[in-house]
Structure formats: C-alpha cells, structure tokens
Amino acid sequence: MEERVAERLRGALGPFGFEVHAFKVGWYNAVLQAAFHLPYPDDTLAFVVLSTPSMFDKALKPFVNKERLKIIRDPVDQCVSHHLSRVKEKFPDQKVDIIFDYELLPNRKPKFLAQTAAHVAGAAYYYQRKDVKLDPWGKKKIYGVCIHPKYGGWFAIRGLLLFPDIQVRFLEQSPPVDCVSTEEKRIELLEQFNLHWQDGRYRDIIEVKEKYSEEQRAYFATPPAERFRLLGLTCEAQ
C-alpha cells in the first residue's frame, strides 16, 4: 500500500522538484517529548516532503508567472501550499492531512519538528550536538542541522502529508545516510551552521550533486520584502 501511495506522490510532486519519503508516525513520536507528538496512531502512514534545488525553476517561477495578478504574500510558501494541496486530487478516496513547515500551534511551537521528521523518514541525517563525542562548545547553545546525501544543505523541508486511514504495520524503517561521518567534519558542520550560517558554507560540507543556482541564492539572500522585485512582481502583487 505504501509503495502505491509513494509512487502516486512521486508522480505528482517529482516533476516540480519535490522529494517524498515515507515514515510511520510512531517512529517520529518515539524520539520526541509528548508535547511534540503527532496526534495519530503509531502505524499511520506519513510522508515528509523536501524541496530540491530544481524546485525554484520547476515550481516557483511558473507558479509566480501564473499567479502574477493575484495577491502573493510569500511566493515560496504559497507555491508549496498549491502543489501539496493539489495532491489531494490524486487520492479522492483517501483522507489526506497536510502540515506545512511554517505552521505553528497556539503556544507558538511548530506543528511538527521538520528535521526530526526528515531523519526518521531516512531523507536526511539530522546532525546534532550528541553526534559529537568530544564536545568543544561548553555552555554554548548549538543547534542541529540536516544534511542530504545528494544535496548537502541545498534543500528544504516543506511539510508533511499524513494518511489517517492508512495503517502500515509492517513498513520497515531505513536509516538516513550518515554522509558526514568523521568527528572533525561534524564539528566543522555544526560550527559553520551555528556561527556562520549566513555564508552558507555548511551546505557544502559534503560534495553535492546539485545546488541552488546563482539566481536562487540571490533570491533567498535578499530580505523577504525585496524578493518580489527579483521575481518580477509589482507592488500590486505584494
């Protein structure tokens, strides 16, 4: 069942530069405090959705061109919402719940922890402080970061697709690829991400197959209010 659903999702989202990776809700809930649990039975089928470097050209720019005369508040969020919402049309007989990466609970906590979801789904390895044996940071707060085996840090986790009526008791968990396997590289990764994240060097901690284009990097490096101009949008669209 999971394979049929995954195939249909890949067919719907793959051409637009998205990746989908299956997991059971129980795998996610098992590694988190109760406050962050997803409110579904453990065997519920879920997918984490990633955007790859090609999403910018395959999905975002065509979406903006098509929606040019409508109100656009955040082009990326609205583009992702458009494509994930259209997935429901592929499953007319199934309930599909969608949680986007930017959604918050009333207490202002995120509705799901994106990097944890990517890790348990085997999509990208979530490197954290606990993955370093000789911790050099003392009392400093050090945040973790996901690295994709193909794209390094040149990707984003965009949302979850949940199928409440599909239980996959026998789904086997595949661990994420540990592509930053040495102690030295892990320290370098976490330091670059925590102390120098603006320059994006952490994204190239491994040799990548594909990364953001110059145009895409310029877009994400520009303050949100000024990004509309880069996409050729007018003040009216904003």
Side-chain angles (χ1 to χ4, degrees):
M1 184 62 170
E2 173 271 328
E3 262 311 314
R4 288 205 303 277
V5 174
E7 201 173 311
R8 211 179 290 182
L9 288 176
R10 284 192 285 266
L13 295 171
F16 297 102
F18 295 98
E19 271 187 10
V20 295
H21 297 265
F23 68 98
K24 292 205 295 189
V25 165
W27 302 346
Y28 173 89
N29 287 349
V31 296
L32 291 171
Q33 298 169 336
F36 290 105
H37 284 186
L38 294 169
Y40 299 85
D42 282 352
D43 290 333
T44 304
L45 177 63
F47 291 84
V48 65
V49 181
L50 313 180
S51 62
T52 72
S54 67
M55 187 275 282
F56 192 79
D57 286 319
K58 290 179 176 177
L60 181 64
K61 294 204 305 198
F63 173 78
V64 165
N65 281 331
K66 191 179 173 194
E67 305 293 315
R68 188 171 293 280
L69 299 177
K70 297 183 183 174
I71 300 296
I72 294 181
R73 293 172 301 280
D74 185 300
V76 174
D77 286 350
Q78 285 178 256
C79 171
V80 170
S81 173
H82 168 77
H83 284 288
L84 266 57
S85 298
R86 284 191 66 191
V87 161
K88 292 186 176 187
E89 298 167 17
K90 304 287 182 186
F91 299 92
D93 302 321
Q94 295 287 351
K95 187 174 191 299
V96 185
D97 291 343
I98 305 173
I99 307 176
F100 296 102
D101 67 300
Y102 52 80
E103 289 188 280
L104 301 175
L105 294 166
N107 62 7
R108 307 300 295 165
K109 286 183 177 176
K111 282 195 174 181
F112 79 101
L113 298 185
Q115 300 200 103
T116 300
H119 187 95
V120 300
Y125 200 107
Y126 184 24
Y127 290 98
Q128 301 175 72
R129 188 172 191 158
K130 63 183 176 62
D131 295 309
V132 172
K133 293 187 182 73
L134 299 172
D135 185 322
W137 298 296
K139 293 183 178 178
K140 274 187 193 167
K141 178 77 173 169
I142 297 293
Y143 294 96
V145 60
C146 270
I147 295 295
H148 190 287
K150 184 177 177 184
Y151 305 116
W154 301 100
F155 76 103
I157 303 157
R158 298 297 182 185
L160 298 183
L161 296 168
L162 297 119
F163 292 80
D165 301 329
I166 301 179
Q167 302 296 300
V168 283
R169 188 176 165 198
F170 299 108
L171 184 63
E172 288 190 21
Q173 188 170 11
S174 298
V177 178
D178 181 5
C179 47
V180 187
S181 53
T182 69
E183 178 92 350
E184 294 74 22
K185 276 288 181 187
R186 290 179 180 185
I187 290 172
E188 184 185 339
L189 168 66
L190 292 174
E191 291 201 339
Q192 285 183 359
F193 179 69
N194 281 271
L195 306 176
H196 310 285
W197 63 268
Q198 295 96 329
D199 63 25
R201 280 183 297 153
Y202 78 90
R203 299 179 189 271
D204 287 312
I205 194 70
I206 62 167
E207 195 171 320
V208 299
K209 303 267 195 318
E210 191 182 343
K211 60 173 73 175
Y212 292 174
S213 63
E214 288 298 330
E215 180 186 18
Q216 188 171 178
R217 275 185 258 184
Y219 176 81
F220 286 115
T222 301
E226 296 167 33
R227 290 176 180 173
F228 294 92
R229 182 176 46 79
L230 295 180
L231 292 173
L233 292 172
T234 61
C235 293
E236 287 78 17
Q238 295 178 47

